[in-house]
Amino acid sequence: MTSLASLGERFRSFAVTSATRAPLYRRLAESIADDTEVMALLQAAPEEQAIPVLLFAAVHHQLLDDRGAPLARFYPNLTPSPDTGDPFPAFRSFALERAEVLRATIATRQTQTNEVGRCALFMPALGLLDDEVGPLSMVDIGASAGLNLLLDRYRYEYAPGGSVGPASPVRLPCSIRGAVPVPDALPRLAAAIGLDNNPIGLDDHDGLRWLEACVWPDQIDRFERLVAAIDLARSVQPVVRPVVKRGDAVDDLAATVVDAAAAGHPTVTNSWVLNYLSTEARRRYVAILDELGQRFDLSWVLAESPAQTVGLPIPTTEPAEELTVLSVVRWRGGSRDVRRLGTCHPHGYWMHWEHRGA
């Protein structure tokens, strides 16, 4: 069990690092750090999951189904005119009244995202691959509800660079710097397969609520586009919906990629997933792709933080960068080629392109 002293330090640290991105959670974290009764709720989590955002997500999860509660008036994603007063008394009352339910959630859930904004990062790299090898058979690792597999149904708005994609309720703005190769048309997908150890079905109300709960309430645009992407996914005919398989990112990787290769050029994607694996597991992940790349041509597009993903074959600084780095790894004729494309925002809001050449 994580000590209250350790939890206090985690909340204080979170209050500092989240100040600009999540002012509501920053204010709450500052107060929670001195409230042992509220902090104790987080002791239900395993040590590695006892992080402030898990408590916040658990409370948000309850609040999304109880929007009439006094606490809701402080949440920017739940009210058009959020209360600017002290949110902690309402938060404390709400959390302690639901302590048993929150402990159960905290003990059994992990923070989970399905950030469709990352599709804007993948799109230029996938466009280059389409130009090179033709239709792609996409395998998204850590696919969650599979929303990123619908990337050909979203509208991309690059500034500068123009827009691409169909008219869509899901619009993904991305500010770019450098010679980003914005495609004239969306890459062709011959197949789209997801792999996740805890996939969320589109009919799983509680699971989808959890995805929404993991979005920070100050980030209204992220919350709204997640809801729009879920609605869009539900509207797609079941026969053409992407498939998300339940499986382990390492143990089930090879079989999933082999299945994808039957439909088109196999292209693995992952974004802010490999940081959840151990260093040894990441090395196994790369070794599996290397082995597959000896058997057939293969591509891998990834957006990960080098500082949090030791063991990946991506060029970085010393010490390794905390920034998200976009890269593509290609196996052609059994040879591996690694290309660092640039740095980007972890949610797809901006991209700085570095790569030159074909």
Side-chain angles (χ1 to χ4, degrees):
M1 178 184 297
T2 310
S3 71
L4 291 174
S6 178
L7 290 177
E9 288 305 310
R10 294 179 191 187
F11 277 98
R12 290 186 186 92
S13 175
F14 179 85
V16 172
T17 59
S18 66
T20 58
R21 296 178 296 150
L24 173 63
Y25 281 177
R26 185 265 301 170
R27 295 178 69 188
L28 291 171
E30 288 174 340
S31 296
I32 293 171
D34 295 318
D35 191 308
T36 57
E37 194 172 4
V38 174
M39 270 195 300
L41 297 173
L42 195 51
Q43 289 183 310
E47 168 65 28
E48 67 276 8
Q49 282 293 314
I51 52 179
V53 290
L54 182 57
L55 173 61
F56 289 138
V59 171
H60 196 190
H61 184 239
Q62 291 294 306
L63 192 60
L64 287 169
D65 283 326
D66 189 7
R67 300 186 186 206
L71 178 61
R73 73 177 188 267
F74 294 95
Y75 278 58
N77 63 320
L78 300 183
T79 178
S81 300
D83 193 320
T84 58
D86 183 1
F88 185 63
F91 183 93
R92 188 178 196 278
S93 176
F94 186 90
L96 295 182
E97 286 172 3
R98 294 160 179 78
E100 184 175 349
V101 173
L102 291 177
R103 286 193 189 96
T105 299
I106 288 166
T108 57
R109 295 245 191 210
Q110 297 181 352
T111 53
Q112 188 172 12
T113 58
N114 201 161
E115 180 48 66
V116 295
R118 292 169 183 158
C119 294
L121 307 177
F122 288 150
M123 190 56 59
L126 295 177
L128 290 175
L129 291 173
D130 181 297
D131 290 343
E132 178 197 357
V133 298
L136 310 177
S137 189
M138 180 177 172
V139 178
D140 192 43
I141 306 301
S144 193
L147 302 179
N148 288 18
L149 296 170
L150 292 168
L151 79 174
D152 58 347
R153 295 178 180 269
Y154 302 151
R155 181 73 172 172
Y156 301 86
E157 299 174 348
Y158 294 98
S163 299
V164 63
S168 173
V170 180
R171 297 167 50 252
L172 304 177
C174 181
S175 174
I176 61 178
R177 181 190 300 169
V180 177
V182 176
D184 295 327
L186 297 182
R188 296 161 291 173
L189 294 183
I193 304 170
L195 182 65
D196 198 284
N197 62 6
N198 185 31
I200 296 175
L202 295 174
D203 57 351
D204 181 355
H205 171 83
D206 192 58
L208 294 172
R209 268 285 188 260
W210 181 248
L211 280 184
E212 294 173 7
C214 288
V215 177
W216 296 0
D218 290 298
Q219 299 172 354
I220 303 172
D221 57 335
R222 287 186 63 214
F223 185 83
E224 290 178 343
R225 74 188 183 193
L226 173 60
V227 172
I230 291 170
D231 289 343
L232 177 61
R234 284 172 166 162
S235 73
V236 175
Q237 293 299 316
V239 292
V240 296
R241 285 178 184 162
V243 175
V244 181
K245 297 181 177 180
R246 183 181 297 275
D248 183 80
V250 177
D251 294 340
D252 298 296
L253 176 62
T256 306
V257 175
V258 169
D259 286 347
H265 177 78
T267 305
V268 176
T269 60
N270 53 256
S271 55
W272 278 89
V273 169
L274 301 185
N275 56 302
Y276 292 105
L277 302 183
S278 67
T279 300
E280 177 55 31
R282 281 192 294 272
R283 288 179 175 141
R284 287 178 55 210
Y285 187 94
V286 176
I288 290 167
L289 292 178
D290 266 331
E291 191 277 328
L292 292 173
Q294 303 306 307
R295 295 164 53 186
F296 47 76
D297 284 358
L298 168 68
S299 298
W300 174 28
V301 181
L302 64 157
E304 302 281 356
S305 167
Q308 300 188 41
T309 52
V310 175
L312 298 186
I314 307 303
T316 185
T317 59
E318 181 60 45
E321 298 151 285
E322 292 285 353
L323 281 171
T324 302
V325 174
L326 177 69
S327 305
V328 62
V329 184
R330 306 183 308 163
W331 289 262
R332 303 290 186 267
S335 296
R336 185 176 79 178
D337 171 59
V338 179
R339 303 184 181 189
R340 174 184 165 122
L341 302 180
T343 56
C344 48
H345 188 279
H347 300 145
Y349 288 113
W350 56 262
M351 179 177 2
H352 296 172
W353 196 262
E354 302 170 0
H355 182 68
R356 292 179 175 82

